[in-house]
Amino acid sequence: MSYATRIGRLARLSPLPLFLAALSPVPASAYTETGDHLTVTVRDTDSGADRDDRDERTFEVDCHPARGTHPDPAGACAALDRNTRWGRDTFAPVPEGSVCTMLYGGPATAHVTGTWAGRPVDARFDRSNGCETARWDRFVPLLPSMGT
């Protein structure tokens, strides 16, 4: 067996190629297949006199890179990144037994589904009290600003 053949076999058995592959940057296309993708449906967010009782809008948001049908995908992704903490559910509901002000924030509701940070998302938002309104406001501009 020649020297070149032995070196070639050793290179194939060596963990070095795997190590070097791990150091290479992740291609942007890797995020589109299984990356962060959310569908946001908002209802009753208009408060003007011309408000349609069937006020419902649905937006798609992909992050890393930011794109989609959302009016501000980069802002929406920034809000998500800002609210993401290791070991915590980004979309966790207000904990049961929380003491919240009884300030009604309006009839707006939102439903967010999809995948974020590798986890499935099925979260509902409303503005029924101070805690729920604060939770909603943390996600602006993923969720529309209600002027608070």
Side-chain angles (χ1 to χ4, degrees):
M1 180 180 320
S2 73
Y3 179 76
T5 303
R6 281 185 278 176
I7 294 297
R9 282 188 181 170
L10 283 175
R12 283 192 303 268
L13 297 174
S14 170
L16 184 61
L18 293 175
F19 175 74
L20 293 175
L23 292 179
S24 64
V26 177
S29 62
Y31 292 108
T32 60
E33 301 285 326
T34 60
D36 302 321
H37 174 83
L38 298 173
T39 301
V40 181
T41 302
V42 294
R43 291 180 183 91
D44 300 323
T45 57
D46 292 336
S47 59
D50 61 344
R51 182 177 168 262
D52 180 358
D53 287 335
R54 297 175 312 259
D55 174 38
E56 178 177 298
R57 294 174 286 160
T58 299
F59 306 108
E60 301 289 326
V61 180
D62 289 300
C63 296
H64 311 114
R67 63 177 175 250
T69 60
H70 191 283
D72 182 7
C77 293
L80 289 163
D81 286 337
R82 187 173 56 244
N83 282 288
T84 301
R85 300 284 181 271
W86 180 259
R88 289 186 162 175
D89 179 2
T90 303
F91 296 92
V94 172
E96 293 228 6
S98 295
V99 178
C100 305
T101 63
M102 295 308 297
L103 294 174
Y104 179 65
T109 61
H111 187 203
V112 180
T113 59
T115 303
W116 179 254
R119 294 178 171 212
V121 175
D122 187 0
R124 297 189 182 274
F125 293 81
D126 64 47
R127 298 175 63 81
S128 59
N129 61 45
C131 295
E132 294 292 350
T133 298
R135 178 175 173 245
W136 178 294
D137 290 346
R138 280 195 311 272
F139 285 91
V140 170
L142 175 70
L143 303 178
S145 174
M146 303 303 295
T148 55

